[in-house]
């Protein structure tokens, strides 16, 4: 017993031109409708939106600018939590930086790029705060040269202890004339 009224031939028939045209038009119409829906929803708007994360309770954040008379591409900003002995490193984008989810406490912030460095700024970050800083890069050779003796500190080191800091003249006093 046959349930559908189909031809008894076992071979496939070629689709009629009218049926092919309707199928192609339906496909093009559904693609156009999908594009219109996506374009109005903002997914295809071309300009990405900046995701702003909600502030985490119990944490602070820090933002600011790094300025220099010498042009630079991206400076490293070192944010050192003195209390917890943690170092955060962020990079600037067009001179701006932002660090989020910082533990409350005392911080030392500095910036560097190639041979340029900024002075270390000290600040206190409290939960929910977002202090703004401005760091100025300069050539360290411009200032009086200080020599750090017996130090194991660098920006990538976990140990930041400094045993003595003195100027070159204090470490190597000028020779005295023999009498």
């Amino acid at each position: 017993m046959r349930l559908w009224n189909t031809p008894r031939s076992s071979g496939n028939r070629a689709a009629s031109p009218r049926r092919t045209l309707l199928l192609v038009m339906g496909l093009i119409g559904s693609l156009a409708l999908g594009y219109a829906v996506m374009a109005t929803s903002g997914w295809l708007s071309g300009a990405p939106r900046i995701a702003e994360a909600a502030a985490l309770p119990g944490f602070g954040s820090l933002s600011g600018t790094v300025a220099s008379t010498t042009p630079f591409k991206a400076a490293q900003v070192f944010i050192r939590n003195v209390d917890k002995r943690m170092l955060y490193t962020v990079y600037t984008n067009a001179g701006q930086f932002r660090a989020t989810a910082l533990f409350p406490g005392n911080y030392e912030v500095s910036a560097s790029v190639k041979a340029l460095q900024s002075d270390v700024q000290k600040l206190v970050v409290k939960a929910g705060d977002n202090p703004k800083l401005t760091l100025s890069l300069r050539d360290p050779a411009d200032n009086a040269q200080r020599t750090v003796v017996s130090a194991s500190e660098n920006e990538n080191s976990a140990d930041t202890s400094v045993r003595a800091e003195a100027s070159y003249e204090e470490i190597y006093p000028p020779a005295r004339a023999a009498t």
Side-chain angles (χ1 to χ4, degrees):
M1 179 169 155
R2 289 180 49 204
L3 297 176
W4 288 279
N5 188 15
T6 58
R8 291 183 185 254
S9 66
S10 61
N12 291 338
R13 290 187 333 183
S16 69
R18 181 177 176 198
R19 187 173 184 183
T20 304
L21 180 63
L22 286 174
L23 182 64
V24 169
M25 287 179 59
L27 181 64
I28 291 173
S30 63
L31 287 173
L33 180 64
Y35 180 78
V37 168
M38 296 298 278
T40 58
S41 69
W43 284 16
L44 302 176
S45 62
R49 287 183 255 157
I50 296 174
E52 291 292 331
L56 295 172
F59 292 92
S61 60
L62 175 67
S63 60
T65 59
V66 176
S68 175
T69 56
T70 306
F72 64 93
K73 204 169 213 178
Q76 286 182 307
V77 179
F78 303 102
I79 306 164
R80 180 174 291 122
N81 185 323
V82 178
D83 303 330
K84 296 192 180 288
R85 297 178 50 104
M86 294 177 64
L87 178 67
Y88 299 87
T89 304
V90 295
Y91 290 85
T92 60
N93 181 12
Q96 304 288 318
F97 69 91
R98 179 178 59 191
T100 59
L102 299 175
F103 288 109
N106 297 306
Y107 283 86
E108 295 177 351
V109 182
S110 64
S112 70
V113 61
K114 294 187 182 179
L116 303 174
Q117 294 179 348
S118 74
D119 289 330
V120 175
Q121 291 190 21
K122 297 181 180 188
L123 68 124
V124 176
V125 174
K126 297 177 182 171
D129 279 356
N130 183 17
K132 309 255 188 279
L133 285 179
T134 300
L135 301 169
S136 297
L137 295 174
R138 59 172 169 63
D139 189 2
D142 291 344
N143 292 349
Q145 184 175 2
R146 305 266 312 159
T147 304
V148 178
V149 178
S150 182
S152 59
E153 177 182 27
N154 67 27
E155 299 303 340
N156 298 323
S157 172
D159 181 20
T160 60
S161 61
V162 176
R163 290 180 183 77
E165 183 175 335
S167 69
Y168 184 83
E169 288 79 22
E170 291 171 325
I171 296 170
Y172 303 104
R176 297 183 190 169
T179 55

